[in-house]
Amino acid sequence: MGCRAGIALALLASTAAGARAASFEFVPAPQIDLNRVYRVDKVTGEVTSCQYGLREGAVGSVGLTVCYGSGEGASAQAPSEYGLVASRHTREAGVFRVNYRTGEMSICYVQLQKEAVVCTAQANPAASGPEEAVATGQAPGRAGPSATPPQNPRP
């Protein structure tokens, strides 16, 4: 009985660890004419994305799922507690990756030329000075065009 209980406990522990290791969060891109969803690994911060694509020349086809792996800045970060936040900017194709423990943020989007999700360097607004905000052209409540390049769905 002791051996069986030990095996059962070991299986339960490995199942629980596997469930924690595979925890993801999904957020749609805020751009209203783009059918794209971003995924973040809540522990490592790795960001990927998938969207609906049409099959070329296939009339009546179901279509296909087009996915983009993690590229520059979007790969695994230091273990922490990550999430994704979409802005309410209807022309924005990217999302914010946030670190709930440190308050750091980065902007992630699909870079079509590289066919990958890329993210800016993580920054913490509390640690940034006004010089940095001016240098990057960011201003609170900016009502200008999207900071990410135009996103045309891939066939």
Side-chain angles (χ1 to χ4, degrees):
M1 182 89 154
C3 183
R4 286 185 184 172
I7 292 171
L9 185 59
L11 285 173
L12 182 60
S14 69
T15 302
R20 277 193 308 269
S23 59
F24 298 100
E25 181 178 317
F26 299 87
V27 172
Q31 186 174 334
I32 59 174
D33 61 348
L34 182 63
N35 194 7
R36 181 177 294 155
V37 174
Y38 288 90
R39 177 185 82 180
V40 67
D41 183 305
K42 292 165 56 173
V43 175
T44 68
E46 179 179 30
V47 181
T48 58
S49 180
C50 292
Q51 70 185 49
Y52 175 76
L54 298 174
R55 291 181 195 248
E56 240 177 79
V59 177
S61 172
V62 173
L64 58 121
T65 304
V66 179
C67 293
Y68 303 95
S70 57
E72 182 180 341
S75 59
Q77 307 293 302
S80 191
E81 185 180 350
Y82 295 94
L84 293 174
V85 177
S87 72
R88 294 180 187 241
H89 194 292
T90 58
R91 294 180 298 173
E92 189 65 58
V95 294
F96 291 85
R97 174 179 54 194
V98 297
N99 184 325
Y100 290 112
R101 292 186 186 163
T102 66
E104 292 177 314
M105 293 185 261
S106 57
I107 291 83
C108 302
Y109 61 95
V110 173
Q111 192 172 55
L112 293 175
Q113 298 85 351
K114 294 185 178 182
E115 295 190 358
V117 176
V118 296
C119 298
T120 61
Q122 294 186 55
N124 191 335
S128 298
E131 309 82 39
E132 185 176 326
V134 172
T136 60
Q138 298 173 355
R142 180 175 63 90
S146 171
T148 57
Q151 302 289 305
N152 296 324
R154 219 171 64 167

